Amino acid sequence: MTVTNMTSPAFSLEAITRPNILLLEPYRCARDDYKTGILLDANENAYGPSVYTSEVASSKDTSTLIEADLIAGLNRYPDPHQEDVKQLLCDLRNAPNKGKSDIIPLTPDNLYVGVGSDECIDTVIRCFATPGRDKMLTCPPTYGMYSVSAQVNDVEVVTVNLDLETKGFPLRVDNVMDALSNDSSIHLVYLCSPGNPTASLVDPESVKKILAHPTWNGIVVVDEAYIDFSPAGSSIAPLVTEYDNLIVMQTLSKAFGMAGIRFGASFASSRVARILNNVKAPYNISSLTSTLALKALSPSGLSNAHQNIDAIVSQRARLLEELPKIPGIGSFIGGDASNFLLVQILDKPRGVPSSPTALRLYETLAMTKGVVIRFRGKEPGCVGGLRITVGTEEENTELLEKIRETLLEIYSS
């Protein structure tokens, strides 16, 4: 099989990686090479975890057995490489392209896993942007942790807004290209697809155009946290085998409903993934997290996830239909490729979008109605904007009732 590497000729991984990271000797332990036998290498407690009692071990109660399954072995450090979880992630993203001879399948060598996507975001910045010198580019409105992590790492953020005048907030790819042409200190471009708060997919052709920039040396990071709420085959993770300058981040927090275990993954070329893995802490993924991640990615876990996704998509369609029937609800200004919607609130029925009214609705719902959504009216292009997560059928019924009731109160006063 012959697959052409599409990476821009301007890309040099060595040139954009911080020199101290290139010289880094990653932490190694005996468990990297030897995982079985009498394990006396890591100064663990050989007598077992303090919460694992004989009562737990001998119980026949189902809930206790599940607890015992999770607790057993917690006195040992977890697998530092998480190969089993990585393989299941690769299987998941390889599935749409199975049998296609022109696509190189993903392998565990293409993965770095972290404590949620937030650790992935931070690790990429630490590897490829020198504090006080290099910059990264974001496209507002977008996820706030990109700029937070940049500030923590003393990396300046250059912004190129999405198209604020067009429904769905498409990427202004030519403006991004110009910014990269004019500033070689920009080492990273962070894109969110589907966007948060826009709920719109970034056109893969726009991403490819940036990746092929003829003079820019840097890495494009595409955050696909919500990708499984999009049409099947929307993920561009398989492209990392063709583009060395692409990183695609994903998580189990959203479609898989596993936010509490904090598990994120970054797909990248094997060269880039090796650098990210060199920097990580030796046991950054806990045994509890990896055990539950394996269950989530198992056939039964995938089946449950797909059922829940179908239910969310159905309820999303319901909100798209029912919300506009409420006086005071304006336009949906984002897309519909995620598990949330971005909608404008008007200053009066058939009025104009109003951030003060949206803020008042948000605060009243949270403080007196027991419904918490998200105010986004300060984001570029989001005047009067509220981001509403798609809930269960019962939650959405109450949401619709409370919004109608609260807007009537606001307009009456």
PDB file of all heavy atoms in Angstrom, residues 6-12 211-214 216:
ATOM      1  N   MET A   6       0.968  14.030   2.963  1.00  0.00           N
ATOM      2  CA  MET A   6       0.500  15.319   2.470  1.00  0.00           C
ATOM      3  C   MET A   6       1.022  16.502   3.277  1.00  0.00           C
ATOM      4  O   MET A   6       0.623  17.640   3.042  1.00  0.00           O
ATOM      5  CB  MET A   6      -1.034  15.332   2.492  1.00  0.00           C
ATOM      6  CG  MET A   6      -1.684  14.184   1.729  1.00  0.00           C
ATOM      7  SD  MET A   6      -1.298  14.231  -0.036  1.00  0.00           S
ATOM      8  CE  MET A   6      -2.271  15.660  -0.524  1.00  0.00           C
ATOM      9  N   THR A   7       1.910  16.259   4.243  1.00  0.00           N
ATOM     10  CA  THR A   7       2.406  17.318   5.100  1.00  0.00           C
ATOM     11  C   THR A   7       3.084  18.416   4.298  1.00  0.00           C
ATOM     12  O   THR A   7       3.815  18.155   3.343  1.00  0.00           O
ATOM     13  CB  THR A   7       3.418  16.746   6.117  1.00  0.00           C
ATOM     14  OG1 THR A   7       2.823  15.633   6.784  1.00  0.00           O
ATOM     15  CG2 THR A   7       3.816  17.799   7.135  1.00  0.00           C
ATOM     16  N   SER A   8       2.866  19.654   4.693  1.00  0.00           N
ATOM     17  CA  SER A   8       3.509  20.784   4.020  1.00  0.00           C
ATOM     18  C   SER A   8       5.026  20.629   4.043  1.00  0.00           C
ATOM     19  O   SER A   8       5.607  20.245   5.062  1.00  0.00           O
ATOM     20  CB  SER A   8       3.118  22.084   4.720  1.00  0.00           C
ATOM     21  OG  SER A   8       3.953  23.147   4.310  1.00  0.00           O
ATOM     22  N   PRO A   9       5.705  20.938   2.941  1.00  0.00           N
ATOM     23  CA  PRO A   9       7.178  20.862   2.928  1.00  0.00           C
ATOM     24  C   PRO A   9       7.824  21.841   3.894  1.00  0.00           C
ATOM     25  O   PRO A   9       8.997  21.679   4.242  1.00  0.00           O
ATOM     26  CB  PRO A   9       7.534  21.191   1.465  1.00  0.00           C
ATOM     27  CG  PRO A   9       6.338  21.901   0.921  1.00  0.00           C
ATOM     28  CD  PRO A   9       5.154  21.328   1.627  1.00  0.00           C
ATOM     29  N   ALA A  10       7.055  22.831   4.363  1.00  0.00           N
ATOM     30  CA  ALA A  10       7.608  23.803   5.317  1.00  0.00           C
ATOM     31  C   ALA A  10       7.660  23.247   6.735  1.00  0.00           C
ATOM     32  O   ALA A  10       8.299  23.834   7.615  1.00  0.00           O
ATOM     33  CB  ALA A  10       6.771  25.091   5.304  1.00  0.00           C
ATOM     34  N   PHE A  11       7.015  22.107   6.962  1.00  0.00           N
ATOM     35  CA  PHE A  11       6.920  21.596   8.332  1.00  0.00           C
ATOM     36  C   PHE A  11       8.198  20.902   8.761  1.00  0.00           C
ATOM     37  O   PHE A  11       8.709  20.012   8.098  1.00  0.00           O
ATOM     38  CB  PHE A  11       5.747  20.614   8.449  1.00  0.00           C
ATOM     39  CG  PHE A  11       5.595  20.032   9.831  1.00  0.00           C
ATOM     40  CD1 PHE A  11       5.189  20.831  10.887  1.00  0.00           C
ATOM     41  CD2 PHE A  11       5.862  18.689  10.075  1.00  0.00           C
ATOM     42  CE1 PHE A  11       5.047  20.305  12.163  1.00  0.00           C
ATOM     43  CE2 PHE A  11       5.721  18.150  11.342  1.00  0.00           C
ATOM     44  CZ  PHE A  11       5.308  18.962  12.391  1.00  0.00           C
ATOM     45  N   SER A  12       8.717  21.333   9.916  1.00  0.00           N
ATOM     46  CA  SER A  12       9.869  20.689  10.535  1.00  0.00           C
ATOM     47  C   SER A  12       9.558  20.492  12.011  1.00  0.00           C
ATOM     48  O   SER A  12       9.498  21.456  12.775  1.00  0.00           O
ATOM     49  CB  SER A  12      11.132  21.534  10.378  1.00  0.00           C
ATOM     50  OG  SER A  12      12.168  21.039  11.207  1.00  0.00           O
ATOM     51  N   LEU A 211      -3.082  22.873   6.763  1.00  0.00           N
ATOM     52  CA  LEU A 211      -2.011  21.885   6.911  1.00  0.00           C
ATOM     53  C   LEU A 211      -1.015  21.956   5.764  1.00  0.00           C
ATOM     54  O   LEU A 211       0.174  21.658   5.933  1.00  0.00           O
ATOM     55  CB  LEU A 211      -2.609  20.475   6.983  1.00  0.00           C
ATOM     56  CG  LEU A 211      -3.420  20.142   8.235  1.00  0.00           C
ATOM     57  CD1 LEU A 211      -4.181  18.835   8.040  1.00  0.00           C
ATOM     58  CD2 LEU A 211      -2.511  20.057   9.455  1.00  0.00           C
ATOM     59  N   ALA A 212      -1.488  22.350   4.589  1.00  0.00           N
ATOM     60  CA  ALA A 212      -0.625  22.413   3.401  1.00  0.00           C
ATOM     61  C   ALA A 212      -0.049  23.805   3.172  1.00  0.00           C
ATOM     62  O   ALA A 212       0.510  24.069   2.098  1.00  0.00           O
ATOM     63  CB  ALA A 212      -1.418  21.970   2.170  1.00  0.00           C
ATOM     64  N   HIS A 213      -0.167  24.694   4.147  1.00  0.00           N
ATOM     65  CA  HIS A 213       0.372  26.063   3.999  1.00  0.00           C
ATOM     66  C   HIS A 213       1.818  25.988   3.510  1.00  0.00           C
ATOM     67  O   HIS A 213       2.658  25.305   4.105  1.00  0.00           O
ATOM     68  CB  HIS A 213       0.308  26.791   5.340  1.00  0.00           C
ATOM     69  CG  HIS A 213       0.518  28.263   5.249  1.00  0.00           C
ATOM     70  ND1 HIS A 213       1.718  28.820   4.838  1.00  0.00           N
ATOM     71  CD2 HIS A 213      -0.305  29.314   5.510  1.00  0.00           C
ATOM     72  CE1 HIS A 213       1.619  30.137   4.858  1.00  0.00           C
ATOM     73  NE2 HIS A 213       0.401  30.459   5.264  1.00  0.00           N
ATOM     74  N   PRO A 214       2.152  26.697   2.445  1.00  0.00           N
ATOM     75  CA  PRO A 214       3.466  26.510   1.822  1.00  0.00           C
ATOM     76  C   PRO A 214       4.646  27.055   2.614  1.00  0.00           C
ATOM     77  O   PRO A 214       5.778  26.628   2.388  1.00  0.00           O
ATOM     78  CB  PRO A 214       3.326  27.255   0.484  1.00  0.00           C
ATOM     79  CG  PRO A 214       2.257  28.274   0.728  1.00  0.00           C
ATOM     80  CD  PRO A 214       1.300  27.633   1.674  1.00  0.00           C
ATOM     81  N   TRP A 216       4.270  28.122   6.324  1.00  0.00           N
ATOM     82  CA  TRP A 216       4.102  28.096   7.780  1.00  0.00           C
ATOM     83  C   TRP A 216       4.590  26.786   8.371  1.00  0.00           C
ATOM     84  O   TRP A 216       4.251  25.708   7.895  1.00  0.00           O
ATOM     85  CB  TRP A 216       2.627  28.297   8.138  1.00  0.00           C
ATOM     86  CG  TRP A 216       2.346  28.191   9.610  1.00  0.00           C
ATOM     87  CD1 TRP A 216       2.837  28.987  10.601  1.00  0.00           C
ATOM     88  CD2 TRP A 216       1.509  27.218  10.256  1.00  0.00           C
ATOM     89  NE1 TRP A 216       2.347  28.582  11.828  1.00  0.00           N
ATOM     90  CE2 TRP A 216       1.532  27.500  11.646  1.00  0.00           C
ATOM     91  CE3 TRP A 216       0.738  26.154   9.793  1.00  0.00           C
ATOM     92  CZ2 TRP A 216       0.816  26.746  12.580  1.00  0.00           C
ATOM     93  CZ3 TRP A 216       0.018  25.395  10.719  1.00  0.00           C
ATOM     94  CH2 TRP A 216       0.070  25.704  12.095  1.00  0.00           C
TER      95      TRP A 216
END
